[in-house]
């Protein structure tokens, strides 16, 4: 992908951005928890989430795409799959399915593309094994393909040393299908699963960072949901407005869960003019985000990192456009995403003439004037999209940009709608 300099300000409203990937994955998977059809509107139709629908089908559900909605009719009982369950590039899907399938009767194999199969899975497998699940994998149990021999687990209590919504969701699903469980973490991770499970009728109590879930005695209520727009995807356009002088953008129907808008709060601290308008609070808090350009200043970020981990590459671009030296710390998880995002962002920014340095758990970036460069995205869609936004100021050539389609298939079209010239 080649991105050319944007020679005008941005002034527009975006309503069809990209449906939330995390919620879409969960909607498809959680539909299996009911005995009645779930109706999912605005479901993300991207490679990863479509793979999740196929897995749900392979586990016995009927999936009907009706255009305006996707209707999933669950099986009476999750069936043993007759083929390898392909998760594509989605660590979220693989890790959540690990928890669900660990408590099902049967044998299941989860795999993905070459990038996903090189990502660490022991962070979820080890907690599940510790509470009684039977999981094996390549690379001494750390890499997919993963083999799961499902069974009902005993009641368990688990404290997670890391703040991870994927670990939490996997353990909750294993406990839900078994004899119940308790789960705690040291810092609140994304809480979509808790909200959705409670909305579906699960007996889940929350006391600060401590969760107590009763075993599922009967099927949960089906979902009837409009999937909101993804704040992580929308953030690239918020970033564009924040770094292009005289710009103003309104992002419609965006998920406003506090654990998902941490990056926007950081951008506010840097000086961006951002406001929020709530429009719905049925399953989740949803609304509009308005962003106006203002000069950015440096910031230090070290708290609630799990709330902005996906936006960290884009925040690195904001740091590069700010006055002063910005620092992101306590983000070691960035090294085990689709690629080592700390190394990828720092090396890319250095190519652009920006003074950037790796930390063990983050990076420090001195704002400056970026220049055009040829960037390796390492097959990581967020690295590719982040440098595409920086390209609005200086032009950019990005290798392996085709991986953007795995999570945000209309990214290029929306960039072009803003007046950006792009050659794919």
């Amino acid at each position: 992908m080649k991105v050319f300099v944007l020679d005008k300000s941005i002034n527009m409203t975006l309503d069809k951005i990209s449906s939330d990937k995390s919620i879409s994955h969960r909607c498809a998977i959680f539909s299996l928890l009911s005995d009645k059809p779930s109706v999912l509107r605005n479901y993300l139709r991207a490679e990863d989430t479509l793979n999740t629908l196929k897995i749900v089908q392979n586990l016995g559900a009927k999936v009907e795409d009706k255009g305006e909605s996707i209707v999933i009719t669950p099986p009476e009982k999750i069936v043993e799959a007759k083929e390898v369950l392909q998760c594509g590039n989605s660590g979220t899907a693989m890790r959540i399915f690990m928890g669900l399938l660990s408590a099902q009767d049967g044998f299941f194999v989860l795999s993905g593309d070459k990038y996903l199969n090189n990502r660490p899975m022991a962070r979820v497998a080890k907690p599940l094994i510790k509470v009684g699940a039977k999981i094996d994998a390549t690379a001494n149990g750390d890499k997919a393909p993963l083999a799961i021999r499902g069974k009902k687990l005993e009641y368990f209590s688990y404290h997670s040393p890391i703040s991870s919504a994927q670990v939490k969701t996997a353990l909750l699903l294993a406990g839900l299908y078994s004899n119940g469980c308790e789960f705690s973490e040291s810092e609140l991770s994304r809480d979509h699963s808790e909200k959705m499970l409670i909305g579906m009728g699960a007996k889940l109590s929350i006391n600060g960072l401590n969760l107590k879930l009763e075993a599922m005695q009967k099927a949960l209520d089906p979902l009837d949901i409009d999937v909101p727009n993804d704040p992580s995807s929308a953030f690239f356009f918020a970033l564009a407005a924040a770094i292009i002088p005289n710009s103003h953008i309104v992002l419609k129907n965006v998920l406003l869960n506090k654990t998902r808008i941490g990056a926007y709060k950081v951008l506010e601290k840097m000086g961006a003019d951002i406001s929020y308008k709530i429009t719905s609070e049925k399953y989740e808090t949803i609304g509009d985000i308005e962003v106006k350009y203002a000069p950015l200043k440096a910031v230090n970020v070290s708290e609630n990192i799990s709330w902005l981990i996906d936006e960290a590459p884009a925040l690195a671009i904001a740091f590069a456009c700010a006055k002063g030296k910005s620092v992101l710390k306590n983000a070691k998880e960035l090294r085990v995403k689709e690629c080592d995002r700390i190394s990828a962002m720092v090396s890319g920014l250095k190519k652009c003439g920006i003074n950037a340095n790796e930390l063990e758990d983050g990076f420090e970036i001195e704002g400056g004037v970026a220049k055009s460069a040829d960037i390796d995205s390492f097959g990581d869609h967020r690295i590719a999209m982040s440098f595409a936004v920086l390209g609005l100021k200086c032009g950019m050539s990005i290798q392996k940009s085709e991986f953007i389609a795995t999570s945000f298939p209309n990214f290029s079209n929306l960039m072009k709608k803003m007046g950006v010239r792009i050659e794919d």
Side-chain angles (χ1 to χ4, degrees), residues 24 37 44 47 50 66 100 126 133-134 148 163 166 174 191 200 243 245 250 253 262 319 322 350 354 409 420:
S24 292
L44 178 62
E47 289 179 27
L50 292 175
K66 301 195 173 184
L100 175 73
K126 284 183 176 179
K134 293 184 177 180
I148 302 169
S163 178
Q166 294 172 358
D191 58 358
M200 295 176 73
I243 66 173
V250 178
N253 192 40
F319 292 176
K350 284 181 175 178
I354 298 295
V420 183

Side-chain angles (χ1 to χ4, degrees), residues 137-336:
T138 61
N140 198 28
D142 191 35
K143 306 287 178 66
L146 296 152
I148 302 169
R149 172 64 67 182
K151 66 171 186 175
K152 190 173 184 179
L153 308 177
E154 297 299 323
Y155 185 90
F156 63 84
S157 179
Y158 184 79
H159 174 74
S160 179
I162 61 173
S163 178
S164 167
Q166 294 172 358
V167 173
K168 176 168 57 178
T169 303
L171 270 291
L172 288 176
L173 291 182
L176 181 69
Y177 267 100
S178 298
N179 290 294
C181 67
E182 294 178 53
F183 179 90
S184 61
E185 55 188 352
S186 56
E187 178 184 285
L188 179 64
S189 60
R190 293 179 178 181
D191 58 358
H192 305 313
S193 295
E194 300 97 295
K195 289 177 180 290
M196 292 177 69
L197 287 171
I198 290 172
M200 295 176 73
K203 294 182 178 180
L204 173 62
S205 59
I206 303 174
N207 182 13
L209 298 173
N210 302 294
L211 309 180
K212 186 172 183 179
L213 177 64
E214 294 185 20
M216 186 166 60
Q217 301 299 326
K218 63 177 183 177
L220 301 185
D221 298 331
L223 288 165
D224 185 358
I225 186 171
D226 290 279
V227 178
N229 283 324
D230 181 6
S232 299
S233 297
F235 188 72
F236 292 102
F237 301 97
L239 172 64
I243 66 173
I244 301 297
N246 303 315
S247 292
H248 172 211
I249 197 165
V250 178
L251 307 165
K252 305 286 288 185
N253 192 40
V254 178
L255 178 66
L256 298 181
N257 182 303
K258 71 176 183 179
T259 67
R260 294 294 303 281
I261 58 171
Y264 293 86
K265 296 300 182 181
V266 171
L267 209 54
E268 282 186 74
K269 289 180 180 178
M270 296 180 73
D273 183 352
I274 303 179
S275 59
Y276 310 86
K277 179 183 177 182
I278 295 174
T279 57
S280 174
E281 294 185 280
K282 184 180 179 182
Y283 281 102
E284 280 278 10
T285 303
I286 299 169
D288 304 335
I289 302 177
E290 184 176 15
V291 184
K292 297 178 182 178
Y293 170 81
L296 301 180
K297 61 181 183 295
V299 67
N300 289 339
V301 184
S302 60
E303 297 180 348
N304 293 326
I305 299 301
S306 64
W307 296 9
L308 51 79
I309 199 73
D310 283 342
E311 295 84 2
L315 279 175
I317 301 301
F319 292 176
C321 298
K323 182 179 181 181
K325 180 186 290 184
S326 295
V327 180
L328 176 73
K329 299 179 69 176
N330 297 327
K332 197 170 183 178
E333 186 180 349
L334 287 171
R335 293 201 182 273
V336 294

Side-chain angles (χ1 to χ4, degrees), residues 117-122 136-145:
N117 284 1
N118 197 43
R119 293 173 62 186
M121 292 297 148
D136 202 358
T138 61
N140 198 28
D142 191 35
K143 306 287 178 66

